[in-house]
Amino acid sequence: MNEFSMGRRRFLGLTAAAGAAAASAALLGEPVAAATSTVDYAGLKRALKGPLLRPGDAGYAVAARPYNSALGVRRPAAIAKVAGVDDVRTCVRRVRGHGVPLAARAGGHSYAGFSTPNNGVVVDLSALKGITIRGDGTAVVGAGVRLIDLYSALAAHGRALPAGSCPTVGVAGSTLGGGIGVVARTYGLTCDHLRAATVVTADGAVHTVDGNHDADLLWALRGGGGGNGGIVTSFTFGTVPAPTVTVFTLRFPAARTSRVLRAWSQWMDAAPDQLTSLCAVTAASTPANRVTGAWTGSASALTRHLTALISAVGASPTSRTVHTYNYLTAMKYFAGCLSKTVAVCHTPGQEAFRAASRMLDRTVTASIADRVVALMRKQKGMVLLFDSLRGQVGRIRAADTAFVHRGAHASVQVYSGNAANGPAVLAVQQALAPIVGHGSYVNYLNPGQKDWASAYYGTNLPRLRQVIRKYDPARVFDFQQSVLRA
């Protein structure tokens, strides 16, 4: 069994350490709204085509459960399982102005659980799962679609969209935060392929957003983070011809981890766009390492690149695996469901984890690598995941989309599969800032992060705040790390 046969995040969690302790909303820093409100829930239920679930209703407990079980029990006041855009408009118009949190939920994978607020109204978009592939290769995708279903639908037409590896992640949240994926250097971020969207804004109006209509809102949707300014009900993406993908994993002696991290970083600096990879540094008294990646060129050319990395490390790998797949099969491989049907791949589950991030803003030197490894010697049950960027990601200017980290060398996810490890994850995130850089990836939300606004959005923050304020002047869509709180 290879590491991806269990699922990327589950594998990472098991590598770090298992854990089961749950945390309360107070520990997470989540604001809890007053239990009383003037929302007419009975009237809302009658007005919706889809069901409205309230505490005590059949199915409520399952629907209220966050993907990250480390977040504990959530108790929203209501969960509207909307049947379409009209239901979304109804929710916005009937809930706004009553002091009740209103949040959209697509895949439900919000690291901090912001899509399932206590005492709030959840607009559950999971029924909006239509996918239409047009003759020109563009894809119109409902906001409730999961990544594995989109990959499967596109594969039937010989097309692909660059995105993440977790099969049950919703395309909506991933895109709105940017969408770092396993072929990002080859094709860019998911949001780079967003051509248009249908959005219900805070006034209940429906906007068809593209480069000629509400273009400022389209700019914000490309990396400004989910939950801000409105509720997207559908996306229109440009797609690419589905490539053949060669996946690989190399592990080197743990004593070489510092050298591996430095060699990997310099290797990626010189790599062609066809190569996207990850370098993992796993906490231990002698931290372990792993380099995993995807290559969209010829298999024989990859061999030369891997040989160059091994030479730079100065040691033979202790293990080496290489497989070539079509794009859908490669995504199933990374999703951990290589031998399963797509239907099984997209079945939602739960995992307990803690996570945060930084953005690596420079090539790793010997000093940086040594400091990273020294930091991980002091940790338990934790892994740092350096996901390579630049390539096509860096060929778009930082100001051209809300995703500001165009010049970053890599994203760095701080991940622990121990639910009680939140304080340690936050401490490592803080310690990494002077080593790798102060930026963070908005899709790796951490509710305890103090510098979140500048870290997520950098120089794009003033413009993003202005755009979101234009479409949501009354802060209808408000949460702990909403742009309007920045």
Side-chain angles (χ1 to χ4, degrees):
M1 178 182 292
N2 63 63
E3 63 262 42
F4 293 100
S5 64
M6 294 182 287
R8 173 184 161 103
R9 252 202 322 246
R10 181 174 173 230
F11 166 72
L12 296 174
L14 290 173
T15 301
S24 68
L27 176 61
L28 292 169
E30 182 204 354
V32 178
T36 60
S37 77
T38 57
V39 173
D40 177 9
Y41 290 107
L44 177 60
K45 184 171 185 176
R46 289 192 299 269
L48 294 174
K49 295 178 181 178
L52 183 74
L53 302 179
R54 303 214 58 210
D57 289 347
Y60 169 87
V62 172
R65 190 170 60 193
Y67 177 81
N68 184 1
S69 60
L71 302 176
V73 176
R74 291 297 171 97
R75 288 188 62 81
I79 302 170
K81 299 182 79 66
V82 297
V85 66
D86 287 343
D87 274 0
V88 176
R89 294 178 69 191
T90 297
C91 288
V92 172
R93 289 176 173 178
R94 287 177 173 263
V95 175
R96 66 183 181 183
H98 291 287
V100 175
L102 179 64
R105 185 177 71 188
H109 282 246
S110 171
Y111 274 26
F114 291 152
S115 59
T116 309
N118 285 313
N119 298 317
V121 174
V122 176
V123 180
D124 187 312
L125 303 163
S126 58
L128 279 59
K129 51 188 177 184
I131 303 173
T132 300
I133 314 299
R134 296 171 175 164
D136 63 357
T138 59
V140 181
V141 182
V145 168
R146 308 293 177 107
L147 290 182
I148 193 64
D149 293 315
L150 180 55
Y151 293 147
S152 178
L154 288 170
H157 295 265
R159 309 297 294 182
L161 181 73
S165 59
C166 185
T168 61
V169 161
V171 67
S174 180
T175 300
L176 295 173
I180 295 174
V182 295
V183 290
R185 282 173 49 86
T186 307
Y187 299 111
L189 304 174
T190 312
C191 74
D192 298 338
H193 296 262
L194 181 62
R195 302 290 177 261
T198 302
V199 186
V200 178
T201 49
D203 57 357
V206 178
H207 297 249
T208 300
V209 175
D210 59 27
N212 298 313
H213 305 88
D214 299 311
D216 55 348
L217 184 53
L218 179 64
W219 176 88
L221 297 179
R222 289 172 167 162
N228 290 300
I231 298 176
V232 182
T233 60
S234 71
F235 300 81
T236 300
F237 294 104
T239 65
V240 299
T244 297
V245 180
T246 301
V247 301
F248 62 90
T249 297
L250 302 177
R251 300 175 190 271
F252 294 91
R256 285 276 177 169
T257 295
S258 178
R259 183 70 174 266
V260 169
L261 179 58
R262 175 163 58 99
W264 169 82
S265 176
Q266 295 172 351
W267 181 61
M268 289 310 306
D269 263 347
D273 292 356
Q274 295 101 315
L275 180 63
T276 304
S277 70
L278 171 153
C279 183
V281 177
T282 302
S285 56
T286 303
N289 62 77
R290 172 172 51 88
V291 176
T292 299
W295 168 255
T296 57
S298 69
S300 59
L302 174 62
T303 300
R304 297 196 304 272
H305 289 290
L306 295 182
T307 298
L309 174 62
I310 292 168
S311 176
V313 171
S316 297
T318 56
S319 67
R320 172 175 177 163
T321 60
V322 181
H323 302 284
T324 300
Y325 300 116
N326 62 44
Y327 190 75
L328 175 59
T329 304
M331 294 305 100
K332 290 177 67 178
Y333 174 86
F334 284 119
C337 53
L338 183 61
S339 61
K340 299 176 182 177
T341 66
V342 169
V344 173
C345 281
H346 77 44
T347 302
Q350 270 192 305
E351 296 178 26
F353 62 92
R354 299 293 185 188
S357 71
R358 287 297 179 194
M359 303 299 290
L360 175 64
D361 63 11
R362 70 205 79 167
T363 304
V364 173
T365 62
S367 174
I368 290 172
D370 287 347
R371 292 170 70 185
V372 168
V373 170
L375 179 62
M376 294 304 282
R377 285 195 187 103
K378 304 173 185 177
Q379 310 304 319
K380 294 182 179 179
M382 192 180 300
V383 62
L384 298 182
L385 303 167
F386 291 76
D387 273 294
S388 63
L389 293 175
R390 295 185 180 164
Q392 289 299 318
V393 177
R395 290 191 173 86
I396 294 176
R397 295 185 309 164
D400 287 347
T401 68
F403 183 88
V404 74
H405 307 293
R406 295 294 177 174
H409 186 57
S411 66
V412 188
Q413 183 171 189
V414 186
Y415 183 93
S416 176
N418 184 340
N421 226 8
V425 165
L426 184 59
V428 168
Q429 181 195 45
Q430 293 169 338
L432 280 173
I435 301 173
V436 303
H438 291 264
S440 293
Y441 181 37
V442 68
N443 278 348
Y444 298 155
L445 291 162
N446 186 301
Q449 185 173 352
K450 302 300 183 185
D451 66 345
W452 60 271
S454 60
Y456 295 158
Y457 305 118
T459 55
N460 282 343
L461 179 59
R463 180 181 176 186
L464 183 60
R465 189 190 293 118
Q466 182 180 30
V467 172
I468 298 304
R469 185 180 293 121
K470 172 183 173 181
Y471 291 94
D472 186 10
R475 285 174 51 164
V476 171
F477 302 106
D478 188 28
F479 57 98
Q480 183 183 337
Q481 292 184 352
S482 70
V483 167
L484 294 180
R485 293 195 184 194

